[in-house]
Amino acid sequence: MWRKATASGFGALNHLCRRHYSSSAVINSMLLRSLKEHYLEVSKMTPPPKVNPPEPFTVVKGALDANGPVLRRSYGDEQITVSVMRLANIIPGGGAAAAADDDADDINQLFLHVDVSKPGQKESLLFLCGLYPDALGIHSVSIRPRPHDSDSAELPSAYTGPLFEDLDEGMRDAFHSYIEERGVGDNLFPFLQAWLYVKDHRNLMRWFKSVGSFVKENKSV
């Protein structure tokens, strides 16, 4: 009697397992098909025309696959590096009033980190800026430890300087002239916009491929 009941119980369990496996396989198949379709669709997107950075800026090697600086140049004995991301990634949403312009804002509003360093100095001057097709606006100016001179877990001083908008007009204009003389202005926009498109496209393709590989591996297990 016990042997019969046990066999019956295992039979029901095996049936449930088969149903679960069958359902999981269908879901995996649907997901893989969707990932492949989107991968192929994205792969056919036409990239923007190739744009070179304004001289004497050069592209940092490996920047497309990293989160660090994109452009670099020398200015006298100074080293100028520029990092970029979309402003929408810093301030998501933007409120209902801006909803209608979200698509345009995503590609026409960039956020820059401009780092100015000098040899022998442990600190560098950091500008956080908004970059647009026809303008560059400074959000803040601060002094921070140079990345390679400080421990990755070490935080800069709590005081990063006054609000840029609180500075008098003459000083704000002087800071704008300071970075413009070092080649940082709206002239960088065409290259950085195209560069971000290529980076976003590459990351999206990699994401579809990586998720698909994971689901396939999970399916086989």
Side-chain angles (χ1 to χ4, degrees), residues 105-209:
D105 289 347
D106 284 349
I107 62 174
N108 290 330
Q109 296 184 5
L110 308 181
F111 188 72
L112 302 187
H113 286 216
V114 182
D115 188 276
V116 182
S117 61
K118 295 183 179 182
Q121 295 204 15
K122 294 183 178 180
E123 296 177 319
S124 61
L125 194 60
L126 174 66
F127 292 82
L128 302 183
C129 308
L131 179 63
Y132 309 90
D134 57 356
L136 179 138
I138 299 174
H139 295 307
S140 69
V141 182
S142 61
I143 287 285
R144 68 169 185 176
R146 293 175 65 176
H148 61 275
D149 289 334
S150 61
D151 188 276
S152 59
E154 182 181 349
L155 295 176
S157 170
Y159 182 71
T160 57
L163 293 174
F164 190 75
E165 60 188 25
D166 289 344
L167 299 175
D168 67 66
E169 185 177 357
M171 184 173 291
R172 294 198 303 268
D173 290 344
F175 272 125
H176 275 284
S177 297
Y178 182 88
I179 61 172
E180 286 171 2
E181 189 169 342
R182 285 154 178 78
V184 180
D186 56 27
N187 59 316
L188 294 178
F189 186 88
F191 169 79
L192 291 175
Q193 183 189 46
W195 186 89
L196 275 176
Y197 177 93
V198 173
K199 183 179 178 68
D200 290 346
H201 184 268
R202 177 179 292 197
N203 285 340
L204 187 57
M205 294 278 288
R206 185 183 292 122
W207 183 84
F208 284 132
K209 190 172 182 179

Side-chain angles (χ1 to χ4, degrees), residues 59-72:
V59 180
V60 175
K61 185 177 180 180
L64 275 174
D65 297 312
N67 293 320
V70 175
L71 296 175
R72 175 181 290 128

